[in-house]
Amino acid sequence: MKLFQNEPKFYKSVFALALPIALQSLISIGVNMLDTIMVGSLGENALSATSLANSFISIYHIFCMGLGMGASVLVSRYWGMKKAADGHEEEAGRALKQTVCLMLRITVGLAALFAIATLAMPSLLMKMYTSDEEIIRLGDIYFRWSVITYFFLGTSLVSTIVLRSVGQVRLPLYVSIGAFFVNLGANYAFIFGKFGAPRMEVAGAALGTLIARLFEAAMILGYLFFKDKNIQFRLRDLFMKTGSLLGEYIRISIPVLVSDAILAIGNNSVAMVIGHLGAAFVAANAITSVTQQLSTVVIQGVSQAGAIVTGQTLGLGDKKKTMQQGWMFLGLGFALGALSAIFIMAVSKPIISTYNVSEETVNIAGQLMAAISLIIIFRATNSIMTKGVLRGGGDTKMLMLADNVFLWVLSIPLGCLAGFVFHWPAFWIYVALKADDIVKTFWCVIRLRSEKWIKKISTGNNSVK
């Protein structure tokens, strides 16, 4: 039960996975931050429109994260089995390919559904978040230029996650660096009409993102289909038979998708609450969300590393070592949460001052920064547990239940009461909306101690721990 142990090999292996993932997330956040600053120079309505439109697009992003992380639970375990060299290498290798095949098929299907919805009813989607006609008009424009983006975003994201699960973390980082410069150049050209390009403003921001996502998909899928030697998935494998693994994929991976999907809808309900608190609150939240993302990049990296390390260790058959590592991951969560809180408090004022917004927005943003610095301690701990260790152990059904009960039964009702009934200050509204992070942290400790989160996973024929 020691949270911190003298295990340099463990910490080295965790951060060897986590830091490239964190750097990739940092680059993505940098792109989003530049987008926000560029679009913010067009005014608060443009900033609010793109922020709210991306709240809907983020539902698909979270779906894909769920698909990718659900597949990652299986891929990590099968990769550990393959490395164990205990006679199951061939069936583990086939299960690896089947997992990736199922994941890509579902991703493309979801992309088509979101593309149709975005194309058919962009104004209706915007009205879920705001009643301001000008913001709806600008969001409509942004949506129409984002329809094709879903396909490139989804396939590159899920493929990146499974590649990380077999140890390939550098390539996605290099691709993200390239995409950063592609996105920066395209946004600058099309938002402001530079280098001979038309001045497209909000539409230019969407087009710049589309070009960057196309670049990412070409690089990541090109590597997966033609170069990767670990999973060894090729284009022809998209048509392989997957029936023997379908049951196990549904049992382990789909609960992650369902959990993250319902969670995404819940988080968008939070965005809807914020959207109806006024343009100043929306703009303030857009400013602080970038800072929040900056403060959690290492946490997200460690969370994904937690799932990978846990899955591979269990694939090797070492339950005792898995429990030991689980407690050390819990300690990392506490430590990283505290460091993130200090970071947010240190950078909040300088970051807020870079935006050309009203005094009311500045005041609300300051309150939100203070609230985030408190909540981040709890979020860091439970994220590394729920998105990392417990998920890597295969405890996906219980996590599906816990994540969504805490959000829908606790956070959303409290947030609505705080914002619309009691009219509390921004600080307390945000704390109420994120109360699930606090409660979930204590639940994670109880679940970890129970050892019930360690599940058996099958390749379709033989069950293994």
Side-chain angles (χ1 to χ4, degrees):
M1 288 180 57
K2 290 184 179 180
L3 300 182
F4 303 98
Q5 299 186 34
N6 185 22
E7 293 282 352
K9 186 177 180 180
F10 165 76
Y11 292 109
K12 183 178 179 181
S13 65
V14 169
F15 284 102
L17 289 168
L19 289 180
I21 296 172
L23 286 172
Q24 185 178 353
S25 298
L26 185 62
I27 291 166
S28 298
I29 292 165
V31 171
N32 293 337
M33 190 172 184
L34 287 172
D35 284 353
T36 303
I37 293 172
M38 287 183 186
V39 175
S41 68
L42 302 174
E44 287 191 5
N45 284 338
L47 177 60
S48 296
T50 56
S51 173
L52 293 176
N54 276 307
S55 292
F56 178 76
I57 295 172
S58 72
I59 298 177
Y60 176 69
H61 187 277
I62 294 174
F63 275 30
C64 290
M65 286 293 295
L67 277 171
M69 292 304 298
S72 175
V73 175
L74 295 173
V75 169
S76 297
R77 190 76 67 93
Y78 297 149
W79 182 241
M81 289 174 59
K82 197 173 180 179
K83 292 195 298 181
D86 59 357
H88 296 292
E89 297 93 328
E90 184 176 344
E91 68 180 64
R94 179 170 177 78
L96 271 173
K97 290 185 178 182
Q98 290 176 317
T99 302
V100 174
C101 181
L102 286 166
M103 175 193 71
L104 287 173
R105 288 174 182 174
I106 297 173
T107 301
V108 172
L110 276 175
L113 290 176
F114 273 82
I116 291 169
T118 302
L119 183 64
M121 49 184 182
S123 296
L124 182 61
L125 294 176
M126 285 300 298
K127 286 178 182 177
M128 292 192 304
Y129 301 99
T130 182
S131 57
D132 188 298
E133 290 298 328
E134 179 60 15
I135 294 176
I136 291 172
R137 184 186 70 82
L138 292 172
D140 190 324
I141 294 170
Y142 189 89
F143 270 141
R144 291 188 183 281
W145 283 90
S146 301
V147 173
I148 304 175
T149 303
Y150 292 111
F151 295 93
F152 303 124
L153 165 64
T155 52
S156 64
L157 178 59
V158 297
S159 299
T160 291
I161 292 172
V162 296
L163 284 171
R164 288 170 179 165
S165 300
V166 296
Q168 178 52 270
V169 293
R170 293 187 179 182
L171 174 73
L173 173 61
Y174 299 149
V175 171
S176 287
I177 293 172
F180 173 84
F181 289 106
V182 170
N183 199 94
L184 176 62
N187 271 6
Y188 183 70
F190 291 108
I191 291 176
F192 303 113
K194 303 296 183 180
F195 311 124
R199 181 182 173 90
M200 299 173 66
E201 300 188 348
V202 168
L207 179 57
T209 300
L210 170 59
I211 293 170
R213 297 302 187 194
L214 173 60
F215 171 82
E216 285 180 335
M219 295 297 104
I220 294 295
L221 294 177
Y223 179 84
L224 177 65
F225 293 152
F226 302 109
K227 297 287 289 183
D228 172 63
K229 297 186 184 303
N230 292 334
I231 301 173
Q232 297 180 344
F233 190 90
R234 298 295 178 258
L235 276 172
R236 64 179 179 273
D237 294 321
L238 287 170
F239 307 99
M240 72 186 302
K241 293 181 179 180
T242 56
S244 62
L245 190 72
L246 185 59
E248 195 67 358
Y249 187 90
I250 292 172
R251 185 178 74 88
I252 298 295
S253 297
I254 296 302
V256 179
L257 170 62
V258 173
S259 176
D260 285 2
I262 300 174
L263 205 59
I265 296 169
N267 288 334
N268 266 259
S269 299
V270 171
M272 291 175 195
V273 173
I274 291 172
H276 287 89
L277 290 172
F281 206 112
V282 172
N285 187 62
I287 293 169
T288 58
S289 64
V290 174
T291 305
Q292 186 177 175
Q293 290 171 352
L294 283 171
S295 67
T296 59
V297 289
V298 176
I299 294 167
Q300 292 170 2
V302 173
S303 295
Q304 292 193 39
I308 295 168
V309 170
T310 301
Q312 291 184 2
T313 304
L314 286 172
L316 293 169
D318 197 336
K319 182 178 176 180
K320 182 179 179 180
K321 185 177 180 181
T322 300
M323 281 299 302
Q324 179 186 3
Q325 291 173 343
W327 288 108
M328 288 192 285
F329 272 116
L330 183 66
L332 277 176
F334 284 126
L336 291 173
L339 289 174
S340 296
I342 294 170
F343 171 79
I344 291 170
M345 294 304 294
V347 304
S348 60
K349 288 184 178 180
I351 286 182
I352 293 171
S353 67
T354 63
Y355 292 89
N356 180 27
V357 293
S358 66
E359 186 64 32
E360 180 187 7
T361 301
V362 170
N363 178 51
I364 294 173
Q367 291 187 56
L368 293 180
M369 289 288 196
I372 291 166
S373 67
L374 170 64
I375 294 298
I376 198 66
I377 298 172
F378 297 97
R379 179 175 297 170
T381 306
N382 74 62
S383 290
I384 290 174
M385 288 291 101
T386 59
K387 309 302 181 189
V389 176
L390 302 182
R391 179 175 284 180
D395 198 25
T396 54
K397 288 184 180 178
M398 180 58 71
L399 290 171
M400 176 178 65
L401 178 65
D403 278 343
N404 292 292
V405 166
F406 291 137
L407 177 66
W408 289 95
V409 176
L410 182 65
S411 288
I412 291 177
L414 278 179
C416 290
L417 288 172
F420 300 126
V421 178
F422 301 121
H423 304 290
W424 286 350
F427 177 91
W428 291 110
I429 293 174
Y430 188 88
V431 170
L433 287 168
K434 302 298 179 181
D436 60 316
D437 281 315
I438 299 172
V439 177
K440 201 188 302 180
T441 300
F442 294 100
W443 176 83
C444 285
V445 176
I446 296 170
R447 190 65 179 172
L448 177 66
R449 185 192 296 268
S450 74
E451 299 188 18
K452 294 178 181 178
W453 54 277
I454 298 177
K455 307 294 184 182
K456 290 183 177 181
I457 289 181
S458 168
T459 60
N461 296 302
N462 298 308
S463 294
V464 294
K465 288 188 178 181

